[in-house]
Amino acid sequence: SSCYLFLKPYTKKMEEILLWSHYTQNHKGFRIWINLSLIASLPITTCDVIYNDDLLSIDVNDLYSGKDVLPFLKEAMVTKAKCWNYEDEVRAFTSKEYCKLEEVGGKTLEYINISLESVTRIDFGIRFPIEERDKLIERRKVRGLSGIKFFQCGLSYDEYAIEYEEL
């Protein structure tokens, strides 16, 4: 299929404090580092996000005329307003055929299976619950996944930044 599915954003600026605020519910979440070479069986395409203040538009008639709108849809999937350019975001896509569907809480979620062996690191946000963090770390030990490193985020005392302490 020529249809693409957005997986998750990632950025070239891994330490941007605002990204933690926006994408982890104000530092309550976590970030997973994945070695993409270990999921090489998935055909993944990456694209740098385009930052532009001009809205993309399409003539509604083009949707019904048989005109190829795929180039427009692809551009729309990688375009954001200029005010977000500090993210320096990269988006990853794969064909829909590699995605799984699952009903959770009355919603249909689409995701891809990624082996735990491809996970190299997990960073816990400043406000991530300690009890939940410790449970996740213990599960790693039980499953024998010693290749995953865990880090706890904290605020720097010297600058407006996040510091990482290995657990």
Side-chain angles (χ1 to χ4, degrees), residues 25-140:
Q25 295 182 323
N26 199 23
H27 302 266
K28 295 175 190 165
F30 56 93
R31 173 175 59 189
I32 299 174
W33 298 63
I34 297 170
N35 182 341
L36 291 178
S37 68
L38 295 178
I39 57 171
S41 62
L42 289 175
I44 293 175
T45 301
T46 60
C47 300
D48 290 349
V49 167
I50 301 163
Y51 299 98
N52 190 342
D53 281 337
D54 297 327
L55 285 175
L56 297 174
S57 63
I58 187 169
D59 185 333
V60 172
N61 293 319
D62 289 347
L63 298 173
Y64 303 104
S65 69
K67 183 176 179 182
D68 182 16
V69 295
L70 190 58
F72 168 81
L73 294 175
K74 286 181 177 180
E75 184 179 2
M77 291 170 55
V78 296
T79 302
K80 290 174 84 168
K82 275 188 181 176
C83 64
W84 294 98
N85 69 350
Y86 69 88
E87 292 183 338
D88 204 11
E89 185 179 336
V90 178
R91 291 195 175 166
F93 301 88
T94 190
S95 298
K96 197 168 177 82
E97 66 193 78
Y98 294 96
C99 299
K100 311 274 187 226
L101 295 175
E102 186 174 328
E103 290 288 327
V104 177
K107 293 182 179 180
T108 302
L109 301 178
E110 290 182 280
Y111 64 94
I112 60 170
N113 279 334
I114 296 176
S115 72
L116 288 174
E117 287 76 20
S118 66
V119 176
T120 60
R121 175 175 166 168
I122 298 176
D123 297 338
F124 297 102
I126 293 166
R127 295 185 179 99
F128 191 89
I130 300 298
E131 317 79 52
E132 293 298 316
R133 179 197 75 188
D134 293 345
K135 284 181 193 176
L136 284 170
I137 292 171
E138 187 58 34
R139 281 191 204 148
R140 173 202 64 168

